[in-house]
Amino acid sequence: MPQKTLDPMDLYDVRGLLDEQERLVQDAVARMVDDKVLPTIGRAFADHRFPRELVGELASMGLLGSSLEGYGCAGMNAVSSGLICQELERGDSALRSFVSVQSSLCMYPIYTYGSDAQKERYLPSMARGETIGCFGLTESHGGSDPANMKTHAKRRGGDWVLNGSKMWITNAPIADLCVAWAMTEDGVRGFLVEKGTRGFTASEIHDKFSLRASATGALFFDEVVVPESHRLPGAVGLKAPLSCLTQARYGIAWGVIGAAQACLAQLIDYTKTRVLFGRPLAANQLIQVRLAEMARRITTAQLLVLQLGRLKDRGAMTPAQVSLAKWNNVRAALDIARDCRDMLGGAGISAEYAPIRHMLNLESVVTYEGTESIHQLSIGRELTGISAF
Ligand code: TGC
Ligand code: FAD
């Protein structure tokens, strides 16, 4: 049999399973990340600054709300939207986070649960990147249990009055629009709260060690009056925000593969050129075992999300499958980033190398959109039919 050289980033030729359109999307985003993101993202991370100048680029490539149909959205399939996340996160998790929040957590609920007027008003400008969204679900007293939210909305005539606060909200400091979740006497409901609405304020969390190129903040609602026309009419109960999380978690499961690939690619180069004890670091069995372990986990993650994407495109994907993918792939990427950091030795703590930046970012990714334990318990519930939450 002829010896074939494998692509170290794609040992099972997962790319060969993609159709032409999917490959074109991946290539276009990969080029953009190489040209526009990689040269600048390290500086943005160091400066704790969201690179807002990239939003226009993301929008012009159709990456905002990429899987939605109409309203200026690109209508791509689920696999393509996953590949977009993968390439963006090869640059930095902050960029994928921005796109996840805008697309899956803000445009998706408006598209799925919004009125025609709400869709017309917001979706085209969100697809163009002119209106930036944030998603307010988590509260400071316990994000894993959103059913226990304290933020509430009470009817006053034809309006709603919102009071409460949200914590750890991606895009909060830069958002023009908030998809805010609040408890009413009939259960959880979703509201569209525009920046500048009286009593609605946002603050920025300035001292993060993770996702430093993402803008994260808190939201405050102090007697915020929102007309009934700003309530998402189709969003009834906690399952509405949870359905948005399913979309975003799907993208994360793809995205983190990109972060892991970025770390492994840099490490392979490094270990081949660094000479210790008279031979390249890569010539040591212990190093090769660790590299092989990374490739094994990346390959598993790639195959897992491709099947997940095919299920999603068939309308057959379930939340428990997404939980398994989010848990498996984020854990793999985080372990890979940490191990790459270690194999770089002292250089591993230098900003010159990407693994420590990815590693620090992934410490957030493993926590947000459901912690590892939450996803494990979701799968346990699926297996046993018993909720252990
Ligand atoms: P539970 O009784 O399980 O569910 C209530 C209703 O919701 C349905 N459901 C889902 N639907 C769609 N997708 C999902 N993933 C769903 N999970 C549950 C469920 O069938 C039920 O429907 P129905 O018709 O019976 O009413 O609710 P629970 O209170 O027991 O909670 C379950 C649990 C713990 C899994 C849930 O609370 C949870 O997922 N907690 C984690 C919270 C979380 O992930 N927060 C993320 C906030 S957003 C964020 O982090 C953004 S990061 C920014 C970025 O992405 O970059
Ligand atoms: P907690 O819920 O207090 O959990 C603490 C620990 O307890 C975790 O290890 C958890 O796994 C464990 N735990 C919880 N319950 C159980 C149990 N039953 N059994 C065993 N262990 C358990 N939220 C939004 O709404 N919108 C956003 O845009 C957003 N962006 C974010 C950006 C960043 C950078 C970060 C860090 C978070 C963001 N979040 C956002 C919030 C995120 O979703 C929450 O941090 C997450 O859901 C966990 O909630 P928590 O931080 O309150 O931790």
Side-chain angles (χ1 to χ4, degrees):
M1 224 165 78
Q3 187 72 31
K4 189 169 173 262
T5 309
L6 301 176
D7 174 355
M9 297 303 127
D10 185 10
L11 291 184
Y12 265 47
D13 191 22
V14 172
R15 190 170 155 89
L17 299 171
L18 304 178
D19 68 25
E20 197 186 339
Q21 187 58 34
E22 292 160 350
R23 282 198 285 264
L24 285 173
V25 170
Q26 179 172 25
D27 290 346
V29 182
R31 266 195 310 276
M32 189 278 286
V33 168
D34 288 342
D35 295 347
K36 306 251 165 75
V37 178
L38 292 180
T40 56
I41 196 67
R43 188 72 257 157
F45 182 94
D47 293 345
H48 211 311
R49 183 184 73 81
F50 171 65
R52 199 173 182 146
E53 62 279 7
L54 293 173
V55 172
E57 191 74 31
L58 299 172
S60 68
M61 293 181 72
L63 308 189
L64 305 180
S66 61
S67 60
L68 305 182
E69 304 269 354
Y71 305 98
C73 301
M76 295 184 208
N77 71 1
V79 170
S80 297
S81 71
L83 290 162
I84 291 168
C85 290
Q86 184 177 306
E87 291 307 325
L88 291 177
E89 200 147 356
R90 189 169 58 80
D92 195 275
S93 301
L95 215 54
R96 197 270 310 137
S97 250
F98 175 81
V99 170
S100 292
V101 170
Q102 180 82 350
S103 304
S104 304
L105 298 183
C106 296
M107 296 175 75
Y108 173 83
I110 295 171
Y111 185 85
T112 308
Y113 303 115
S115 65
D116 288 344
Q118 289 167 347
K119 293 179 205 181
E120 294 292 351
R121 179 174 168 89
Y122 297 113
L123 292 177
S125 77
M126 295 183 89
R128 289 194 300 270
E130 290 162 11
T131 298
I132 291 177
C134 70
F135 177 89
L137 181 66
T138 301
E139 300 185 357
S140 56
H141 57 86
S144 297
D145 184 16
N148 185 35
M149 72 175 69
K150 309 292 180 217
T151 299
H152 56 82
K154 291 199 170 126
R155 273 191 183 277
R156 187 195 288 162
D159 295 332
W160 292 88
V161 183
L162 272 65
N163 278 288
S165 62
K166 301 285 175 180
M167 184 59 179
W168 296 114
I169 306 302
T170 301
N171 293 350
I174 57 169
D176 306 292
L177 178 70
C178 174
V179 178
W181 300 96
M183 191 60 80
T184 72
E185 59 184 16
D186 297 320
V188 174
R189 296 291 184 270
F191 298 88
L192 301 175
V193 184
E194 293 184 4
K195 183 178 177 175
T197 306
R198 193 186 180 89
F200 173 52
T201 49
S203 67
E204 181 156 9
I205 299 166
H206 286 289
D207 50 1
K208 306 193 310 277
F209 284 108
S210 175
L211 281 184
R212 289 174 59 86
S214 174
T216 317
L219 301 170
F220 304 94
F221 304 87
D222 180 11
E223 295 288 311
V224 176
V225 179
V226 177
E228 167 66 10
S229 61
H230 282 213
R231 185 176 67 80
L232 291 169
V236 176
L238 187 63
K239 68 181 169 206
L242 294 184
S243 75
C244 306
L245 302 186
T246 295
Q247 306 302 311
R249 291 164 176 173
Y250 168 80
I252 290 171
W254 278 90
V256 293
I257 295 170
Q261 287 173 322
C263 295
L264 178 58
Q266 210 167 43
L267 192 73
I268 290 173
D269 284 349
Y270 185 84
T271 55
K272 285 208 277 202
T273 53
R274 187 162 181 86
V275 175
L276 291 165
F277 301 102
R279 59 176 186 267
L281 201 50
N284 290 288
Q285 290 185 353
L286 275 179
I287 295 292
Q288 289 197 10
V289 168
R290 291 163 82 179
L291 295 176
E293 169 72 5
M294 293 178 194
R296 175 180 71 81
R297 296 184 75 176
I298 288 174
T299 305
T300 313
Q302 287 170 318
L303 291 166
L304 204 152
V305 286
L306 184 63
Q307 170 63 0
L308 191 67
R310 297 291 179 225
L311 287 170
K312 190 170 195 291
D313 276 325
R314 292 210 308 263
M317 183 183 85
T318 70
Q321 290 168 333
V322 178
S323 281
L324 187 79
K326 199 267 183 183
W327 164 29
N328 182 76
N329 290 13
V330 179
R331 169 50 59 187
L334 179 57
D335 288 349
I336 287 168
R338 284 174 177 167
D339 210 26
C340 285
R341 208 293 311 144
D342 178 69
M343 280 192 271
L344 288 164
I349 68 149
S350 159
E352 199 182 324
Y353 294 92
I356 194 160
R357 175 168 52 80
H358 286 294
M359 180 193 98
L360 292 169
N361 286 338
L362 290 163
E363 296 289 350
S364 283
V365 181
V366 78
T367 289
Y368 70 31
E369 289 286 359
T371 64
E372 199 166 62
S373 303
I374 289 297
H375 291 296
Q376 290 164 333
L377 293 175
S378 296
I379 296 160
R381 182 169 65 175
E382 181 72 22
L383 296 176
T384 62
I386 301 167
S387 173
F389 291 112

